[in-house]
Amino acid sequence: MSDAPSELPADLDREAVQSALTEWYEADHRDFPWRRTDDPYEILVSEVMSQQTQLGRVVEAWEAFLDEWPTTADLAAADRADVVGFWTNHRLGYNNRAKYLHEAARQVEEDHGGEFPRTPDGLSELMGVGPYTANAVASFAFNNGDAVVDTNVKRVLHRAFAVPDDDAAFEAAASELMPDGESRVWNNAIMELGGVACGKTPSCDESGCPWRRFCHAYETGDFTAPDVPTQPSFEGSRRQFRGRVVRVLGEYDDLGLAELGPRVRVDYGGDTGAEWLRGLVDDLESDGLVDVAEGDDGVRVSLAK
């Protein structure tokens, strides 16, 4: 562990954060075929194809590419014009990536005896393989990578833990958070979080984001991020009112629903009265953010201890 000051909140329970994310990911995630393999060649093809291309479009192209050239030996022996033609026909963009992938396959065969390097540094020596792609292949093929830091991960770290918009700060925070020896699962999981729950317009509750109870943005309602310079639609949302409940309870030992409601919204009552508030409070209790107690004088709510 570095002696440099941490970029994460001092009171953050890192083990709880780690467990919450990995359990969420392992319970349910998007099932891309390259997530079902640890073959470095197949993973490299997916990473190169995924650069600036929607993942849904990549699946068909990835499967067709591997049908045509199932190993690095097959790709290295192919005519480069055929590889570029495939790239063009599948609208994968930037034909140089096809050329680099072909050359990388030749390097693996000719310089490494058909075996991929297993470290980010070693993989970076392959043609067209930059630091991000090298780390991804090391992580997903060999479980031997560093913490991934892409746009999605920066957005998640900035929102959840108020990490400053600074590349060095993001690198440090990401490294602190990743459990030792868990780069395969962790990097997949945090990128999934950014892609599914914490997009430019977040879907915290809808996606069951596992970091809601730790999240600075969720508490404050400010979901801006390095790639989201203006605030996503939030006014009047359920997330906003959940955040207000948490903030209000931070000022009191406990409150009854009738006391809490008007402090959360000025139009408390009717369709947005006790039944609505109880649903909000029950959600927060399920997430471990508040405690709900039934007493003689009705329901009392307090921040979780």
Side-chain angles (χ1 to χ4, degrees):
M1 182 69 70
S2 169
D3 292 331
S6 174
E7 298 294 345
L8 299 171
D11 59 350
L12 186 67
D13 185 337
R14 287 167 176 72
E15 288 188 6
V17 167
Q18 292 165 345
S19 297
L21 179 60
T22 54
E23 288 170 8
W24 172 83
Y25 175 76
E26 290 174 342
D28 184 30
H29 59 260
R30 293 173 295 178
D31 185 26
F32 296 117
W34 47 84
R35 285 181 171 171
R36 302 194 297 268
T37 181
D38 59 5
D39 184 310
Y41 170 60
E42 296 180 358
I43 291 168
L44 176 62
V45 173
S46 75
E47 289 295 328
V48 174
M49 286 187 174
S50 299
Q51 294 167 13
Q52 299 181 333
T53 303
Q54 291 181 344
L55 293 183
R57 282 181 42 218
V58 171
V59 173
E60 180 181 350
W62 181 82
E63 291 173 340
F65 190 95
L66 294 176
D67 283 344
E68 185 74 23
W69 302 291
T71 67
T72 50
D74 294 314
L75 183 58
D79 189 302
R80 183 165 296 181
D82 292 337
V83 181
V84 172
F86 177 98
W87 216 260
T88 301
N89 292 339
H90 285 78
R91 297 182 294 116
L92 292 167
Y94 299 105
N95 288 342
N96 278 346
R97 284 186 285 158
K99 297 176 184 178
Y100 294 153
L101 188 56
H102 182 252
E103 182 60 29
R106 290 182 58 183
Q107 287 178 272
V108 169
E109 291 300 312
E110 296 174 6
D111 300 342
H112 299 279
E115 298 290 332
F116 271 78
R118 300 177 68 91
T119 66
D121 286 346
L123 287 158
S124 292
E125 296 178 4
L126 300 179
M127 180 66 72
V129 177
Y132 174 84
T133 300
N135 188 51
V137 176
S139 294
F140 306 142
F142 304 116
N143 198 27
N144 191 36
D146 302 316
V148 161
V149 182
D150 66 358
T151 300
N152 281 345
V153 172
K154 290 178 181 179
R155 186 190 317 120
V156 168
L157 295 176
H158 184 79
R159 285 175 173 167
F161 309 120
V163 175
D165 184 6
D166 172 80
D167 285 348
F170 287 128
E171 293 278 355
S175 295
E176 278 190 77
L177 274 179
M178 188 178 77
D180 291 340
E182 297 291 339
S183 63
R184 177 181 290 131
V185 169
W186 180 262
N187 285 333
N188 267 319
I190 197 168
M191 289 192 296
E192 183 80 350
L193 188 67
V196 170
C198 199
K200 290 188 176 183
T201 300
S203 58
C204 316
D205 294 330
E206 298 87 336
S207 61
C209 174
W211 282 358
R212 284 173 290 183
R213 62 193 174 102
F214 311 106
C215 182
H216 174 77
Y218 195 80
E219 179 182 352
T220 63
D222 181 3
F223 285 84
T224 53
D227 64 331
V228 188
T230 57
Q231 180 65 20
S233 177
F234 181 73
E235 187 65 29
S237 70
R238 191 171 179 83
R239 293 192 305 276
Q240 182 186 41
F241 290 117
R242 284 173 53 112
R244 285 184 184 174
V245 169
V246 171
R247 289 197 300 277
V248 169
L249 291 175
E251 301 173 9
Y252 298 88
D253 290 335
D254 63 65
L255 288 172
L257 292 184
E259 302 165 298
L260 177 61
R263 292 174 169 83
V264 171
R265 59 186 307 161
V266 295
D267 58 346
Y268 180 72
D271 292 339
T272 54
E275 184 177 350
W276 169 85
L277 182 58
R278 182 59 193 266
L280 208 63
V281 164
D282 286 345
D283 284 350
L284 290 166
E285 183 184 32
S286 297
D287 288 339
L289 292 170
V290 305
D291 292 328
V292 179
E294 300 276 358
D296 294 338
D297 58 346
V299 176
R300 307 290 295 183
V301 188
S302 60
L303 286 182
K305 300 294 190 291

